[in-house]
Amino acid sequence: MGPRITPTAAREVTIKEVAARAGVSVATVSRVVNNKGPVARETWQRVIDACQALRYMPHGAARSLSIRRTNTVEVLLPDLYGEFFSEVIRGIDLAARRRGYLLLVSGSHSDWGEMAAVLQAVRGRVDGLLVMSPDLEARSLRAHLPAGVPVVLLNCADDSGGYSITIDNHGGAQVMVRHLFSTGRKNIAFIAGPERNVDAAERLRGFREAMEAAPGTSVRELPGDFSEAAGYSAIREILESSDRPDAVFAANDSMAIGALCALQEAGLRVPADVAVVGFDDIPIARFVSPPLTTVSVSISELGRRAFELLLEAVENPSAPGRIEAVPTRLVVRESCGSAPGPDRNQVTRLRAAEQPAIAPEKEEESS
Amino acid sequence: MGPRITPTAAREVTIKEVAARAGVSVATVSRVVNNKGPVARETWQRVIDACQALRYMPHGAARSLSIRRTNTVEVLLPDLYGEFFSEVIRGIDLAARRRGYLLLVSGSHSDWGEMAAVLQAVRGRVDGLLVMSPDLEARSLRAHLPAGVPVVLLNCADDSGGYSITIDNHGGAQVMVRHLFSTGRKNIAFIAGPERNVDAAERLRGFREAMEAAPGTSVRELPGDFSEAAGYSAIREILESSDRPDAVFAANDSMAIGALCALQEAGLRVPADVAVVGFDDIPIARFVSPPLTTVSVSISELGRRAFELLLEAVENPSAPGRIEAVPTRLVVRESCGSAPGPDRNQVTRLRAAEQPAIAPEKEEESS
DNA sequence: CTGTTAGCGCTTTCAG
DNA sequence: CTGAAAGCGCTAACAG
C-alpha cells in the first residue's frame, strides 16, 4: 500500500501518467524527454524523477507517427543464409547503432511476391530501404519500389541514377587471374555463380577478359550457384574429364571451399597439383586448409557504406543520387602456391578499403 | 493534366485521400483494406480501385498505435558475426514471414549498456522480444527486461520460469565423448568456449562427466572463445607440449575448424594422427576437409521454435511460461575416423529434431 | 451497409 | 518557462 510501484506492472506507462505524477503537463514531459525547449531546472528534475519511478519509455509508434520519422531502416536481402549476408548485416548494424537507428531485416528468398509483401508492410515503419537484389532481371526493380522512400540498392544491376553501391567484381576477377598467371598457372577453370546474378556475371566477365588478354592459356567454365555444394560438384565433373586444370577460380569463397573439399577427397594436393582461389574473403576463408587465396571484399564495409549512403539520402531527399563501388583487394594465402610477383594485396580502385570499425581479423595474411 | 497520377509522387498517400477518391468515408476504406466488417460489393470495388490508382499503403506506425499491435518482434543477439547467428536469424525469419511478422534485429555486442539502449528503443515498436544472452552473469537478465512485454530467452542461464529455449549442450557433449571412445580415442583434449558462456559451460560439463565415467582416459582442457583463431592457437599450444592427444574436441565448430587448420599446417594428418570434432554443425562443417564430425544443433530450428514460443507468449500473455530444449544429434563425418559402433546419429532427447522448413543440406551424412 | 467520432501516445505550435 | 490543444494516420464503437 506504500508509494512503491509494483515491479511487474503489466500495463505500459504513458507520458500522461508521468505528467500527472510530476505535476506538469505532457508537453513539459515531452520537452525534457527529448531535451529540447526550455524547462526550469527544478521542473526538469521532477520530471526525470517521475520517469524513473515509473520506468517510463516513450512509445515508438506514437512518436514516429507524430514526428514522421522512425529512425529505422529496412534491410531486404535475397537470403539470410551464410557468412556473406551475415557480414553485410553486421556492417549495417554497426553503422546503424552508431547513429541510433534500428534495423528491420528480412530475406526475400528471391521471391518477387514476398519482396512486394515486405515492401508493402514497411510504410510508416522505416525511413529508408537498403535493398540487395543481385538478380539481373531486377533491372526494373526501382519501378516497383514504393515511391517517395529513400532507397539504396546493393549489388544491383542499376540503371536509373539513384543511390546504389556495388562491389568491384570485374576488377577483382582480373587481378586474380593475373595473379594466377604470375604463379605460372595457365590452364584455369572457372566455377561461375548463378547465371542471373550481377556479381557473378561481372566476375565472369572479368575472368574472361583477363584470360583473353593472355596468350597460350586454356579456359574452362563450369556452372555454379554460389553454394559449397556447387563447388563440390563442379570439381567432381572436372575430375571425370581428361584434362586437369592447374588452377580453379571459384566465383565465390563458398564454392571454393566446396571445391577444396572435393579435391582433397580425390587425393589431389592443393596447391601442388591444382591451385584453388575464391572471391569475397568470408571470415572462414583463412581457416580452411590450405588457407584460401581470394579477392577480399570487406563485406561489412559494404554494409556500412550502404547505410551511410542511405542516411545521406534520407537527410537529403532531393539529392541526385550517387553510385559507389567498394574496392577489392587480392589476398594471397596458401591455396594457390607462393607468388613471386609484386601484385599481392593489390587494390583495384583508387581508394583503399577502409577498415571496418571492428576488425575481426586476428591473423594477417602473409605479406 | 489527365487523370494520371504522377508516378513519383513523393508525398505519401493516406487513407483519407483514398476515401475521397472513392467517395466513401475512411471507415469504409479501413474496412476493405483489412477486409473486416460488411461492405457492399460495389463499394468494395470502388475502394479497391482507388487504392490501386493511388498506390495506397497503410501507415504502419499509425496502425500499430491504433490497434496496439505491431506484428513485429525484436531479435537481440550477442553479436551478428558468423554462421551460428546467421542461422538463428534465418530460422526466425522463416517462421516470422510465415506468420506475417517483421523482424527488428540487433547485435548487443555483449555490452550491457547497448542492450539497455535497444530495449529502451523498442517499446511501441514490437510485440515481443527474442533475447539471446548466453552470458552466465545474465542470470538477472529478466529483471532488466521491460515489464509487460513477452520475452523468450535463447540459450540463457534461466532462472525464473518464463519462456525460454536452450540447446541440449550437456547431452550432446556426452554423446560425442562416448563416440570418440568407440573409435578408440582415449586421450582427449577439449577446447573450451568462453568461460562465462552458458552453452560453453554446459558442453564442458558434459565433456567432463563423460570423461570421468571412463577409466584409463586422459583429459586436457584448453581455453577458447568460440572463434576460429582460438581453435588455432589452442592447437599451437598443444603442439608445443610433449604429449599429443589422439582427439581434439572443440566446444564449437568454428574452433574445430581453426584447429583443423593449425593441425594440417603442422603436418599432422586428421584423423589418422589426431581426430578433431566440433559442436553446432554450422553449414560449412561438411565442407571443410576432412568433413567435420560434430554435434548437430539444427540452429535454424532453434530460431524457428523460439519464434513460435514467442507467438504463444504474445497471444497468451497470462500463460505460465515454458522452457524447451532443442535436441542434438551426433553427425559422424571423416574428421574422427570411422566409427564401428552403433551410436552414430544418436538423438539426445526424446524428440527427434524436426527438419527446418527449408533444408539447406544437400549432402547426407554417411549413415 | 456506411458515416461520425473518439481515441491510440506523442510532439508542437501558440498563447499565456 | 509552461500548458492547452490540434494534429500524425488509422481503427473501432456507435449511430444512422
Side-chain angles (χ1 to χ4, degrees), chain B residues 15 20 37 88 101 170 261 266 280-281 299 306 316 327 332 365:
Chain B
I15 197 173
V88 174
Y101 271 72
H170 181 256
C261 179
D280 281 348
D281 197 21
I299 312 169
N316 198 344
V332 178
E365 37 274 7

Side-chain angles (χ1 to χ4, degrees), chain B residues 132-194:
Chain B
M132 176 147 133
S133 173
D135 194 314
L136 280 170
E137 312 299 309
R139 271 236 152 61
S140 54
L141 176 67
R142 251 199 166 95
H144 300 274
L145 259 26
V149 184
V151 180
V152 172
L153 264 24
L154 280 78
N155 298 8
C156 287
D158 196 26
D159 38 352
S160 57
Y163 283 91
S164 142
I165 187 165
T166 65
I167 296 171
D168 179 24
N169 295 297
H170 181 256
Q174 292 198 108
V175 169
M176 177 59 90
V177 171
R178 289 202 287 270
H179 172 70
L180 288 173
F181 289 162
S182 83
T183 67
R185 319 281 175 168
K186 300 237 155 232
N187 187 352
I188 307 179
F190 187 81
I191 310 180

Side-chain angles (χ1 to χ4, degrees), chain A residues 158-178:
Chain A
D158 195 28
D159 37 353
S160 57
Y163 283 90
S164 143
I165 187 165
T166 65
I167 296 171
D168 179 24
N169 293 298
H170 180 258
Q174 292 198 110
V175 169
M176 178 57 91
V177 171
R178 289 202 287 271

Side-chain angles (χ1 to χ4, degrees), chain A residues 107-299:
Chain A
S108 64
H109 297 270
S110 314
D111 177 323
W112 237 102
E114 304 226 309
M115 186 155 156
V118 172
L119 258 27
Q120 272 271 134
V122 299
R123 135 132 142 117
R125 290 187 177 299
V126 302
D127 296 334
L129 265 34
L130 247 22
V131 180
M132 175 146 133
S133 173
D135 193 313
L136 279 170
E137 312 299 309
R139 271 236 151 63
S140 55
L141 176 67
R142 247 194 172 102
H144 301 273
L145 259 26
V149 184
V151 180
V152 172
L153 264 24
L154 279 77
N155 298 9
C156 286
D158 195 28
D159 37 353
S160 57
Y163 283 90
S164 143
I165 187 165
T166 65
I167 296 171
D168 179 24
N169 293 298
H170 180 258
Q174 292 198 110
V175 169
M176 178 57 91
V177 171
R178 289 202 287 271
H179 173 70
L180 288 173
F181 289 162
S182 82
T183 66
R185 319 281 175 169
K186 300 237 153 232
N187 187 352
I188 307 179
F190 186 81
I191 309 180
E195 278 189 25
R196 310 187 330 170
N197 179 292
V198 202
D199 296 302
E202 283 297 285
R203 289 170 193 185
L204 178 57
R205 194 167 67 85
F207 168 75
R208 283 182 180 156
E209 285 182 15
M211 292 302 285
E212 277 163 17
T217 60
S218 150
V219 179
R220 179 158 178 195
E221 295 173 9
L222 291 300
D225 65 3
F226 277 169
S227 73
E228 287 93 352
Y232 186 92
S233 8
I235 293 298
R236 308 295 301 206
E237 194 175 318
I238 286 179
L239 292 177
E240 279 171 12
S241 69
S242 53
D243 73 319
R244 178 137 65 236
D246 53 19
V248 172
F249 182 3
N252 78 343
D253 287 349
S254 295
M255 294 198 296
I257 289 169
L260 231 38
C261 179
L263 249 12
Q264 294 177 342
E265 206 172 286
L268 259 31
R269 312 259 337 176
V270 177
D273 299 324
V274 46
V276 172
V277 301
F279 205 116
D280 282 348
D281 197 22
I282 59 179
I284 214 166
R286 75 190 60 208
F287 289 107
V288 293
S289 71
L292 193 64
T293 288
T294 187
V295 179
S296 177
V297 173
S298 191
I299 311 169

Side-chain angles (χ1 to χ4, degrees), chain A residues 7-10 12-15 55-62 64-65 69-72 74 79-83 86-87 89-90 93-94 97 102-109 114 118-125 143-149 225 227-229 232 257-258 260-261 264-265 269 282-284 286-289 291 334 358 360 362-363, chain B residues 7-10 12-15 55-62 64-65 69-72 74 79-83 86-87 89-90 93-94 97 102-109 114 118-125 143-149 225 227-229 232 257-258 260-261 264-265 269 282-284 286-289 291 334 358 360 362-363:
Chain A
T8 47
E12 314 221 311
V13 16
T14 75
I15 197 173
R55 292 171 135 287
Y56 170 68
M57 292 170 181
H59 188 283
S64 298
L65 182 57
R69 200 164 205 303
T70 59
N71 270 262
T72 305
E74 160 77 16
D79 195 349
L80 259 26
Y81 181 66
E83 287 209 298
S86 166
E87 274 293 287
I89 296 179
R90 195 175 67 92
D93 179 56
L94 253 26
R97 166 181 318 284
L102 258 23
L103 251 40
L104 220 37
V105 317
S106 52
S108 64
H109 297 270
E114 304 226 309
V118 172
L119 258 27
Q120 272 271 134
V122 299
R123 135 132 142 117
R125 290 187 177 299
H144 301 273
L145 259 26
V149 184
D225 65 3
S227 73
E228 287 93 352
Y232 186 92
I257 289 169
L260 231 38
C261 179
Q264 294 177 342
E265 206 172 286
R269 312 259 337 176
I282 59 179
I284 214 166
R286 75 190 60 208
F287 289 107
V288 293
S289 71
E334 274 99 84
I358 286 186
K362 297 278 169 55
E363 302 225 325
Chain B
T8 46
E12 314 222 312
V13 16
T14 75
I15 197 173
R55 291 171 136 287
Y56 170 68
M57 292 169 180
H59 189 284
S64 298
L65 182 57
R69 202 168 206 303
T70 60
N71 271 262
T72 305
E74 160 77 17
D79 195 349
L80 259 26
Y81 181 67
E83 286 209 298
S86 167
E87 274 293 286
I89 296 180
R90 195 174 67 93
D93 179 56
L94 251 27
R97 165 183 318 283
L102 258 24
L103 251 39
L104 221 36
V105 172
S106 52
S108 64
H109 297 271
E114 305 225 310
V118 172
L119 260 27
Q120 272 271 136
V122 298
R123 136 133 141 117
R125 292 189 176 296
H144 300 274
L145 259 26
V149 184
D225 64 4
S227 73
E228 287 93 352
Y232 186 92
I257 289 169
L260 231 37
C261 179
Q264 293 178 342
E265 205 172 286
R269 311 261 335 178
I282 58 179
I284 214 163
R286 76 190 60 208
F287 289 106
V288 293
S289 70
E334 274 97 83
I358 286 186
K362 298 279 169 54
E363 304 224 326

Side-chain angles (χ1 to χ4, degrees), chain A residues 287-330:
Chain A
F287 289 107
V288 293
S289 71
L292 193 64
T293 288
T294 187
V295 179
S296 177
V297 173
S298 191
I299 311 169
S300 66
E301 173 71 6
L302 172 72
R304 194 183 73 68
R305 292 260 279 267
F307 180 83
E308 298 295 351
L309 219 48
L310 181 56
L311 234 52
E312 206 179 303
V314 167
E315 263 142 34
N316 198 344
S318 59
R322 195 144 60 76
I323 150 165
E324 274 196 21
V326 339
T328 61
R329 197 173 97 252
L330 178 67

